[in-house]
Amino acid sequence: MNLLVDNQLVTLAELRRAWLEHVSVELGDSARRRIAESNELIDDVVAHGDKVYGVNTGFGQLATVRIGDDELVHLQENLVRSHAVGVGEDLDDDIVRLIMLMKVIALAEGFSGVRLELVETLCALINHRIYPRIPSRGSVGASGDLAPLAHMAGALIGIGEVRVNGNLVPAPIALKEAGIKPIQLAPKEGLALLNGTQVSTALALGAVFRTENILSAALMAGAMSSDAIKGSDTPFDRRIQSVRGHGGQIAVAAVLRDLMRGSDIRASHIECDRVQDPYSIRCQPQVMGACLDVLRHVCKVLETEANAVTDNPLVFTDSRAVLSGGNFHAEPVALAADYLALAIAEIGALSERRIAVLIDAHLSGLPAFLVREGGLNSGFMMAQVTAAALASENKSRAHPASVDSIPTSANQEDHVSMATFAARRLHTMVDNVENIVAIELLAAAQGIDFHRPEKSSDAIEAVMASIRELSPLYEEDRSLSADIRRVSATIDNGEYCRYAESILPSLSQ
């Protein structure tokens, strides 16, 4: 993917592509001009001896300490070294790539006072696929993602480690092999690199894209489960949705109708005497539609934040002003991540309930636990228990992180967002839902196979064929663990997005 950064909106679709694949970044003429003008103002501030936070003062509670001109470069490098205190497992390269790209986008707006050379060096790292090693823990989401961004900044000055082709390499060696000269930081540059919400935003964006994957798979699984129990598609009727008016509900119902259209199984029981199906079947448009509305809202917030300038202080060339504020506070990301956590949990909860319906002979009309010779065979009994365990775990993980603030920096930073954790925990929740939905896909496929020779819809039959390549018909007891893992991987790869592409925010732009 090639991306020209020139003060334009970088779209959600472009961000998804940058998450999925390598990207080549280039600065446009407008961005170059604005960066240069902003840096010129910082040079003037230093030359005139004006006292400006982070340019010629200490940081945090040490902001009252004036730093001499001969120590300004040392000040910025000390900031990077002292703040690189992250711990825990490393962030994946796809997240690091998003972090770096969004930092380029922010700096290229021309409000940060950095040199063009700095932004071009960061672009060079991206273009050479050199990804700094960034530990995942250590940020409270204000003042920016300081610790993780310090690890990113360290690579620019030739300290720390980077990942090249999946291998850890000392930063100086990787830069030398790529022909990139480590940069010597100028006034304000260390602070501009460290202040910002790019880490929490990247983690949240990655979770958004993965939520699109599970939402799509869950809609397919729900359609399959509906057919497997010979459920009614009347609750998906357009007229029912239109009188309530929620956009997500209307969109989800349309997808479900498309997925089930032409099913011989459905046609075989149109005149049956069943009046209503369980809520997990009947209320899919209402529940999944609400989750889609949450996803759409979160996407709007994160697309804005991905294009935002979130360091401090900010440089305004039109008024020749350097202003200190708080754009680094990641509360918008934290609240969005907490909101998304609820939707992720609900997608998994509804899927788990459909699995429970499928294995219950009284509700589904299928053999108990989806297996012949029940008693001798336990069938999908324990697979539903696994799904229940994961759904229950997600209830705890859905507790809002943003309500938990803890003061830092000797109470100078007395309210923080916890956005980085709020976003990071979403990935564990998505992992859980991928497995829940994988179990439902397997269970629904088993249920549909009990109706042979009748066929389902074309879309469902295509998925049935794919599932049977990964997991044979369950005829007698065997472990399903590897089958679940294989089907879960197809969800994580986004293979079900094609069935709901028209309603997914990052794919329908």
Side-chain angles (χ1 to χ4, degrees), residues 96 168 181 291 364-365 400 447 473:
V96 175
L168 281 175
K181 184 179 179 181
C291 292
S364 69
L473 180 69

Side-chain angles (χ1 to χ4, degrees), residues 339-377:
Y339 199 14
L340 185 59
L342 300 177
I344 293 169
E346 283 296 271
I347 293 169
L350 198 68
S351 178
E352 184 279 325
R353 287 293 79 202
R354 289 193 298 266
I355 299 167
V357 170
L358 286 165
I359 66 172
D360 187 332
H362 299 291
L363 291 174
S364 69
L366 298 166
F369 301 104
L370 301 172
V371 69
R372 304 288 188 191
E373 297 187 65
L376 175 63
N377 293 302

Side-chain angles (χ1 to χ4, degrees), residues 38 59 65 74 77 126 135 164-165 188 191 238 265 285 299 304 308 335 374 382-383 400-401 406 414 416 421 438-439:
S38 176
F59 307 101
V65 179
H74 194 195
E77 292 191 354
I126 297 173
V164 181
N165 296 323
K188 177 135 184 344
L191 190 58
R238 178 187 57 79
I265 297 173
C299 284
T304 297
L335 292 174
M382 286 308 298
I406 186 168
D414 59 347
V416 299
F421 168 65
I439 292 169

Side-chain angles (χ1 to χ4, degrees), residues 224-432:
M224 291 174 64
S225 292
S226 298
D227 233 16
I229 70 165
K230 293 190 172 182
S232 172
D233 59 2
T234 299
F236 309 149
D237 190 287
R238 178 187 57 79
R239 292 165 292 183
I240 294 173
Q241 326 311 319
S242 65
V243 297
R244 196 174 194 187
H246 291 295
Q249 177 180 333
I250 292 168
V252 162
V255 170
L256 288 169
R257 291 195 301 271
D258 286 345
L259 292 177
M260 297 180 69
R261 185 172 289 115
S263 169
D264 293 338
I265 297 173
R266 169 67 185 124
S268 70
H269 64 95
I270 289 178
E271 303 300 329
C272 73
D273 57 2
R274 180 185 293 178
V275 178
Q276 292 184 327
D277 296 314
Y279 288 1
S280 59
I281 299 292
R282 193 192 339 159
C283 297
Q284 289 181 77
Q286 290 77 14
V287 178
M288 297 295 282
C291 292
L292 176 59
D293 283 336
V294 170
L295 181 62
R296 287 171 168 173
H297 168 74
V298 170
C299 284
K300 290 178 181 177
V301 172
L302 295 180
E303 185 178 64
T304 297
E305 192 72 5
N307 287 275
V309 181
T310 56
D311 65 292
N312 183 64
L314 297 177
V315 180
F316 296 89
T317 56
D318 56 350
S319 55
R320 305 290 293 176
V322 182
L323 305 179
S324 186
N327 279 4
F328 51 69
H329 200 297
E331 193 77 2
V333 180
L335 292 174
D338 282 343
Y339 199 14
L340 185 59
L342 300 177
I344 293 169
E346 283 296 271
I347 293 169
L350 198 68
S351 178
E352 184 279 325
R353 287 293 79 202
R354 289 193 298 266
I355 299 167
V357 170
L358 286 165
I359 66 172
D360 187 332
H362 299 291
L363 291 174
S364 69
L366 298 166
F369 301 104
L370 301 172
V371 69
R372 304 288 188 191
E373 297 187 65
L376 175 63
N377 293 302
S378 296
F380 280 71
M381 180 187 296
M382 286 308 298
Q384 185 270 329
V385 173
T386 296
L390 297 174
S392 189
E393 179 184 317
N394 273 1
K395 296 173 189 176
S396 296
R397 292 187 181 277
H399 184 278
S402 56
V403 298
D404 178 29
S405 177
I406 186 168
T408 62
S409 193
N411 284 308
Q412 173 73 12
E413 298 157 5
D414 59 347
H415 182 277
V416 299
S417 71
M418 298 308 297
T420 320
F421 168 65
R424 177 166 50 81
R425 63 72 144 85
L426 297 176
H427 290 270
T428 302
M429 296 182 69
V430 172
D431 289 342
N432 289 341

Side-chain angles (χ1 to χ4, degrees), residues 82-123:
S82 65
H83 283 52
V85 291
V87 298
E89 64 276 14
D90 296 340
L91 294 177
D92 292 337
D93 286 353
D94 52 7
I95 298 297
V96 175
R97 185 166 55 247
L98 275 179
I99 293 168
M100 298 168 75
L101 173 60
M102 288 188 291
K103 182 58 77 173
V104 168
I105 294 168
L107 296 178
E109 287 296 309
F111 295 101
S112 302
V114 302
R115 294 167 298 159
L116 180 59
E117 176 188 353
L118 175 72
V119 189
E120 288 182 328
T121 303
L122 185 53
C123 289

Side-chain angles (χ1 to χ4, degrees), residues 36-84:
E37 290 174 353
S38 176
N39 177 242
E40 182 181 341
L41 181 52
I42 289 296
D43 287 343
D44 288 348
V45 166
V46 173
H48 286 88
D50 299 333
K51 183 179 179 180
V52 177
Y53 171 73
V55 176
N56 48 22
T57 74
F59 307 101
Q61 199 178 57
L62 300 175
T64 57
V65 179
R66 181 66 179 262
I67 307 299
D69 289 353
D70 58 337
E71 292 286 2
L72 295 186
V73 171
H74 194 195
L75 171 71
Q76 299 298 316
E77 292 191 354
N78 275 354
L79 177 69
V80 173
R81 295 176 188 274
S82 65
H83 283 52

